[in-house]
Amino acid sequence: MRVQVPPRAFYFFMSHPIQVSASILCANFAKLGDEIKRCEDAGVDMIHVDVMDGHFVPNITIGPIIIQAIRPLTKLPIEAHLMIEHPSLYLDDYMDAGADIISVQAECYGPLRPGCQELGQYPKEVDEIDVKKAKADIDRIHAKGKKVFMVVNPGTPLCFDALLSNLDGVLIMSVNPGFSRQKFMPSVLPKIQKLRSIYQGDIALDGGVNAVTAPEAVKAGVNILATASYFFGAENPQEAVQYLKRLG
Ligand code: DX5
Ligand code: ZN
């Protein structure tokens, strides 16, 4: 009798079911409490807060006071995706406001490539990072009992292998950060595959996630899907979340 051996991916998704993270960038900020409830009712697994400073990315959004405001409204984990220069200066503010996961951009820890070093030059990209500097921030985040994800922009390679064992996850950007409703960049799929071949931790995807792009990303190895416009624009958000979760 021929024994059918399930593919490796089967074992991975058995232990890492697909999680959906709702980015409130597309929420109605005049009714943020109701929007958080909408996330909970739809079955999302975490709340993703896009923090932008107008320097690291060409847009300004929100700071720790919003995290502080939504913290008492939900038991869902809150992730602060820090698209800001000098994250080290603000880690405590976001952790003390109630964020459970701090996501820091790799580009904040390395020499920026020529062409994106000046104010107003985007996207920020690096080829290597200062491992010691990044490790110091990772340790500070862990010391407060929080989780840390390393985020990598589409044009930045996986340049932090030495830190993988210190991370709780990696967040792959599939758009150049700054705005929601951008088009998914399929060029990041090989990066996901490469990372999954060497890393068993959480791999999250952020940017242009929808019913068409998510299956490919999950196939490549992603197990957390962050979405703003697909979730908040869905006629039936619960169905949208269920669809994404079933991809596993
Ligand atoms: C982009 C942000 C994303 C964004 C995703 O800079 O980090 O989290 O909100 O938006 P959608 O899902 O619309 O691409
Ligand atoms: Zn984000």
Side-chain angles (χ1 to χ4, degrees):
M1 194 180 75
R2 213 166 135 231
V3 180
Q4 291 263 328
V5 180
R8 246 179 104 189
F10 171 82
Y11 295 109
F12 177 78
F13 287 119
M14 287 295 284
S15 56
H16 291 69
I18 302 292
Q19 291 189 290
V20 176
S21 180
S23 157
I24 60 168
L25 200 53
C26 285
N28 179 348
F29 279 84
K31 296 181 176 170
L32 204 45
D34 294 344
E35 296 289 64
I36 298 297
K37 173 98 177 35
R38 176 145 70 121
C39 295
E40 286 193 333
D41 291 348
V44 311
D45 300 284
M46 64 184 100
I47 306 289
H48 179 101
V49 181
D50 285 308
V51 177
M52 306 186 191
D53 67 351
H55 289 249
F56 183 79
V57 288
N59 192 9
I60 299 176
T61 56
I62 54 186
I65 52 171
I66 297 293
I67 292 180
Q68 207 178 349
I70 62 176
R71 181 65 289 174
L73 306 181
T74 182
K75 289 202 163 37
L76 290 177
I78 297 176
E79 172 188 12
H81 175 190
L82 301 184
M83 287 160 277
I84 59 174
E85 277 185 356
H86 312 300
S88 319
L89 298 176
Y90 300 98
L91 294 178
D92 291 310
D93 293 345
Y94 288 94
M95 291 191 283
D96 296 346
D100 305 283
I101 302 169
I102 305 289
S103 296
V104 289
Q105 295 267 167
E107 295 78 14
C108 296
Y109 298 99
L112 290 168
R113 278 185 190 153
C116 65
Q117 292 167 353
E118 304 300 326
L119 206 58
Q121 294 184 321
Y122 308 108
K124 303 297 185 194
E125 290 170 350
V126 294
D127 289 296
E128 56 184 332
I129 68 165
D130 180 337
V131 171
K132 232 171 123 184
K133 193 174 159 200
K135 174 79 167 47
D137 280 358
I138 293 168
D139 289 347
R140 273 177 62 198
I141 295 167
H142 282 155
K144 284 205 171 177
K146 312 284 185 173
K147 290 186 175 179
V148 55
F149 277 48
M150 184 65 74
V151 193
V152 60
N153 279 348
T156 294
L158 296 168
C159 52
F160 43 87
D161 293 20
L163 287 172
L164 283 177
S165 59
N166 300 100
L167 295 170
D168 298 288
V170 176
L171 173 57
I172 304 277
M173 289 308 298
S174 36
V175 297
N176 285 316
F179 302 93
S180 57
R181 300 188 178 85
Q182 297 187 78
K183 211 165 166 277
F184 175 81
M185 296 166 71
S187 55
V188 302
L189 291 170
K191 184 155 61 174
I192 297 167
Q193 281 166 343
K194 186 175 166 201
L195 179 61
R196 182 50 81 208
S197 70
I198 55 165
Y199 184 61
Q200 287 300 302
D202 284 329
I203 302 181
L205 185 75
D206 187 12
V209 169
N210 60 38
V212 177
T213 58
E216 278 295 289
V218 168
K219 216 165 111 192
V222 158
N223 67 296
I224 299 178
L225 294 161
T227 159
S229 51
Y230 175 65
F231 173 76
F232 283 100
E235 237 170 68
N236 185 333
Q238 195 172 358
E239 264 176 25
V241 171
Q242 283 315 312
Y243 172 79
L244 295 180
K245 288 194 175 196
R246 275 198 298 266
L247 294 174

